[in-house]
């Protein structure tokens, strides 16, 4: 019953918010949004969104072999020049990003209760900046206010211990654990022109559930 909120309406809302480039299949968010939301196709788009919702529910409750959904976990590897250094970005399949967005939205409250103030980006846009501005406003509004704000804004995407994270999520947020474990229990293929490498640690940057 906890997964009843994942329905055609929640999928429709997430589809309208989709953006970004294409994964290995070449299907980008703009085309995917047209397929799932355009009124040109009549009732077929609603039927498709309903089928997607049922697929997400199944991924949340059933144990499925990784080999059966491995194509969903693949990402297109992109290297960003950070000057200095290079940051590897994995652009996942838009279908998987949609699924992750729906699951994250459905259990937003549970995730916030699990991570508390340790992860300010959960359910809050630009969480680090919001914390800084809130502290500044409070500091300026009180004549006798003195304080020190310490924020660890380290990028943990590529240094997170995956096995530990998958173990902890079963305890801290079991509602999302089955879904997340499916995509991170095996090394993820990062595909680029001319070859591929595997991601064995951390999470895929750009994956909505990675920030949770």
């Amino acid at each position: 019953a906890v997964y009843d909120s994942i329905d055609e309406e929640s999928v429709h809302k997430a589809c309208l918010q989709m953006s970004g480039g294409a994964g290995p299949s070449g299907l980008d968010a703009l085309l995917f949004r047209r397929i799932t939301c355009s009124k040109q196709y009549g009732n077929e788009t609603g039927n498709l969104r309903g089928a997607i919702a049922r697929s997400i529910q199944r991924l949340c409750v059933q144990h499925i072999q990784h080999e059966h959904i491995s194509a969903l976990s693949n990402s297109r590897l992109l290297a960003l020049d950070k000057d200095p250094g290079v940051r590897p970005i994995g652009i996942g399949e838009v279908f998987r990003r949609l699924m992750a967005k729906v699951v994250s939205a459905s259990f937003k409250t549970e995730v916030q209760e699990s991570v508390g103030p340790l992860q300010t980006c959960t359910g809050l846009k630009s969480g680090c900046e919001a914390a800084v501005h809130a502290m500044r406003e409070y500091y300026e509004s009180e004549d006798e206010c003195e304080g020190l704000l310490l924020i660890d804004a380290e990028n943990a995407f590529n240094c997170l211990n995956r096995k530990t994270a998958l173990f902890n999520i079963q305890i801290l947020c079991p509602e999302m654990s089955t879904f997340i474990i499916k995509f991170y229990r095996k090394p993820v293929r990062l595909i680029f022109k001319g070859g591929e490498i595997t991601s064995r640690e951390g999470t895929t940057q750009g994956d909505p559930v990675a920030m949770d």
Side-chain angles (χ1 to χ4, degrees), residues 38-98:
S38 176
K39 296 181 180 179
Q40 177 183 355
Y41 305 112
N43 295 331
E44 298 302 322
T45 55
N47 294 335
L48 175 59
R49 294 192 299 267
I52 293 174
R54 292 189 292 274
S55 298
I56 299 173
Q57 288 179 337
R58 184 180 179 188
L59 288 171
C60 286
V61 298
Q62 294 185 10
H63 293 283
I64 302 174
Q65 295 296 326
H66 179 78
E67 292 74 15
H68 298 164
I69 58 171
S70 59
L72 279 175
S73 64
N74 297 338
S75 297
R76 181 168 62 91
L77 184 62
L78 181 67
L80 294 183
D81 184 5
K82 301 303 293 184
D83 191 28
V86 175
R87 177 180 298 174
I89 302 294
I91 304 179
E93 290 290 357
V94 65
F95 190 56
R96 176 200 169 183
R97 289 171 6 222
L98 169 68

Side-chain angles (χ1 to χ4, degrees), residues 8 12 15-16 30-49:
E8 183 269 337
H12 187 203
C15 287
L16 293 175
L30 181 61
L31 180 57
F32 185 79
R33 191 165 64 242
R34 176 177 174 80
I35 294 173
T36 55
C37 299
S38 176
K39 296 181 180 179
Q40 177 183 355
Y41 305 112
N43 295 331
E44 298 302 322
T45 55
N47 294 335
L48 175 59
R49 294 192 299 267

Side-chain angles (χ1 to χ4, degrees), residues 4 12 25 46 66 99 102 133 148 153 158:
D4 287 345
H12 187 203
S25 68
H66 179 78
M99 289 180 163
V102 172
H133 290 305
L148 177 66
N158 297 316

